[in-house]
Amino acid sequence: MKIREEKLNDAVICILEGEININNSPDLRKAFDGLIKRNEKKLVVDFSGVSYIDSSGLATLIEMFQRLKKIGGALRFSNMEQKVKNIFEVTKLHKLFEIFDNREAALKDF
Amino acid sequence: MSVKECKAESIISLRNVSKFFQGKTVIDDVNLDIYCGETFVIMGCSGSGKSTLLRLMTGAIRPDKGSVALKGRDIAKISSEELDEVRKTFGMTFQYSALLDSLNVEENIALPLREHTQLAEEIIKIIIKMKLSLVGLRGYEEYYPSQISGGMRKRVGLARAIALDPEIVFYDEPTSGLDPVVGGVIDKLIKDLSVKLMITSVVVTHDMHSVFEIADRISMIHKGKVVEVGTPEDIRNSKNEYIRQFINGSPSGPIDFFREDIGMEDVLDL
């Protein structure tokens, strides 16, 4: 998995690529830790390059959602492939997270 | 979650597998292919060899002849370390749940996560909540096995089996000892996990109601041999006399419950 960050006004876009699994989800958590430390409160996670996410990846996103909520921030997702979207639907997490078709729509929602 | 790409290919493949215990053939030249994403049921009477077959597929025992391949790797030939790696890709539920009584539900499910991963405790706790939610037991984290029913223990066992997002789950008698309603709940759960998460399920059972409820394909085992493999429809309509006797639960037929091969001379050691 590759993680890339872009800053756009007061929001951060976190662009993920590859498979998010038990071996690399701690790296994603570390990247999220960095954002919290820098007091970033608006985060869009761009899934356009993500082919698969496992339970540890989902748990990492849930934790980040909780942390951002605690400090008055917000988390939005964009560009999710259908097969990744299916994982969110099976686990009913699509009801918890805000999922948008593209970055622009996600950014507009803040 | 699993939901990996599932191609129509054999994920478990047994070729000419035989197993002998104390000179007796318990598995006799078995050939089987189990496909990705399907629910495959192995049925047969007590002592037919179905549990031995399950133990061969999980690498708990090795065949004396033939090969057992999981995702193309012959687990009969790999080292113990490699087998440990393969084992991370499948989960297993046991007839008596096999939960540790001294640990609560959360700690039981956490076992494989703490043992096989470097995940932070906060993440492990979230995963446990997700798994408990999938088996309909959200909020039971603090309960001990002795404080919940048999059916709930089976569901906790299932939550533990899927903790590491396995591609295959092996079920050993998942509905035994349960009333029909709770048995139906377990059946639905097995089917749901298989369909929603694309988990390949291998179920050993002699619960006929369960067999037809969950199976995509069924294999009947008798005296260590595969009698027939087919869809539930094939098995229901089978003319095979072993299958007819098993389905109808008839005491008379080719399946001999009173071992005719053992005479009084053998019993009395004359």
Side-chain angles (χ1 to χ4, degrees), chain B residues 148-169:
Chain B
I148 56 177
S149 68
M152 288 159 106
R153 281 200 290 275
K154 294 247 185 196
R155 282 191 275 163
V156 174
L158 182 48
R160 184 179 60 188
I162 59 171
L164 291 172
D165 294 342
E167 291 172 55
I168 308 166
V169 177

Side-chain angles (χ1 to χ4, degrees), chain A residues 19 22 25-26 29 52-56 58-63 66 83 86-87 90-93, chain B residues 1-5 113 117-120 122-123 126-127 130-131 133-134 162-165 196-197:
Chain A
E19 196 172 280
I22 219 150
S25 63
R29 190 168 187 252
Y52 170 74
I53 182 165
D54 74 358
S55 296
S56 70
L58 293 174
T60 305
L61 295 171
I62 293 171
E63 188 195 37
Q66 291 169 334
K83 62 181 174 184
N86 288 347
I87 300 172
V90 163
T91 50
K92 299 193 173 77
L93 289 173
Chain B
M1 296 298 111
S2 188
V3 203
K4 282 221 168 189
E5 295 248 314
L113 292 160
T117 76
Q118 305 294 321
L119 296 174
E122 294 89 337
I123 299 296
I126 295 171
I127 294 175
M130 286 163 60
K131 302 297 172 182
S133 175
L134 269 175
I162 59 171
L164 291 172
D165 294 342
K196 289 180 182 169
L197 305 183

Side-chain angles (χ1 to χ4, degrees), chain A residues 6-39:
Chain A
E6 278 177 24
K7 179 92 179 163
L8 204 73
N9 302 323
D10 59 345
V12 171
I13 301 160
C14 189
I15 304 144
L16 305 180
E17 213 176 289
E19 196 172 280
I20 308 168
N21 58 39
I22 219 150
N23 298 316
N24 58 33
S25 63
D27 299 336
L28 182 60
R29 190 168 187 252
K30 216 177 276 173
F32 287 163
D33 279 347
L35 295 176
I36 293 287
K37 275 185 194 135
R38 282 168 15 218
N39 206 30

Side-chain angles (χ1 to χ4, degrees), chain B residues 243-254:
Chain B
I243 292 175
R244 299 268 25 110
Q245 185 188 356
F246 190 79
I247 291 176
N248 297 328
S250 169
S252 54

Side-chain angles (χ1 to χ4, degrees), chain B residues 225-238:
Chain B
K225 279 183 180 291
V226 175
V227 174
E228 198 166 312
V229 180
T231 64
E233 204 55 26
D234 296 335
I235 298 295
R236 245 194 212 107
N237 299 324
S238 173

